[in-house]
Amino acid sequence: MVSSVRLGERLAVQDFSRPVLAELRGVCKSYRHAGHLVTALQDVSLQIRQGECLGIVGESGSGKSTIGRILLCLECPDEGEVVFGGTSLAGLKGKALRQMRKNMQVVFQDPSSSLSPRLPVWRSVMEPLDNFPEIVPPFLSEARGSRRACAGQLFDMVGLSPEYLDRYPHELSGGQKQRVAIARGIALNPRLLICDEPTSSLDVTVQAEILRMLKGLGRELGISCLFISHDIASLASISHRILVMKKGRRVDLFETERIYDAERHDYTRLLVSKVK
Ligand code: ADP
Ligand code: MG
């Protein structure tokens, strides 16, 4: 039943003329694994505009996370180019790379990977700001005198009560931990937030709550978002456009409201038909 795919809000028409924030141009990437070469990405191009949420869908192994890692400069493409804010990322090193990276933050499927088990969660949330003390995001300007007050403000933005500030990760539910990881992700007011399957390990009700919260945050802060998921229904509820990956190739790219159009790729139609 395709009717259960809920569509993301349309960007206002003029928003499509917004400048491009991040771009992959003809990116190829292979890995050597057990003696042979595995192609993760083959000639992938994409653009993320300012304030846009671009969704990437595809089955496991289709190259989604590799796109995220390449954008984050955690890996280099074998061929092609990555451009962020008009600057090519090729060959960026040291201080220039560090300065570039602060514009992009990532939220992973497993929130525990970004939270120290030995710290109360508010300290993990503040870590990015501790690393870049010169940055004072506008939404933290009132709280700037106190690190704890900043963490409290970030908690409020992701819908967490201040009573959780002093908890340790193991004292929180999966959904609460993911909210903490998102608070950490937005702490530096990045220009791009990469969410790699952030709701895949959560139950359906919690997934929906987190998606709603992320959507509100994106709108409020104007952050661009790359939202990766194997679930096209989740993607459709949050993304302005959807890019479909299959075996390392981009097979479709469309505005979310065009998800049912006749020109959709057979594979996109298959993914949509599987939504219950
Ligand atoms: P997805 O996120 O869509 O599940 P990935 O981007 O993680 O896919 O992986 C794409 C392909 O690249 C897969 O075949 C995967 O096994 C391979 N791959 C990814 N990272 C590595 C790595 N570090 N070493 C070897 N193969 C890798
Ligand atoms: Mg992945």
Side-chain angles (χ1 to χ4, degrees), residues 9 11 18 51-52 138-140 153-159 186 189-190 212-225 240:
E9 272 166 58
L11 276 178
R18 281 187 181 186
E52 177 187 39
F139 50 80
L140 294 182
Q153 170 67 24
L154 287 161
F155 266 46
D156 186 54
M157 290 167 76
V158 297
I186 59 167
N189 196 21
R212 213 173 308 124
M213 183 269 287
L214 270 172
K215 202 164 152 177
L217 265 182
R219 215 173 17 218
E220 201 180 316
L221 304 178
I223 296 179
S224 304
C225 181
H240 299 109

Side-chain angles (χ1 to χ4, degrees), residues 106-117 121 124 169-170 172-184 196-202 210:
V106 60
V107 175
F108 292 110
Q109 177 172 345
D110 176 10
S112 302
S113 63
S114 54
L115 307 178
S116 165
V121 287
S124 290
H170 73 269
L172 299 181
S173 70
Q176 289 165 337
K177 274 189 277 194
Q178 199 53 288
R179 285 177 193 266
V180 174
I182 293 165
R184 183 186 151 99
D196 192 348
E197 310 253 10
T199 59
S200 301
S201 60
L202 305 174
I210 301 254

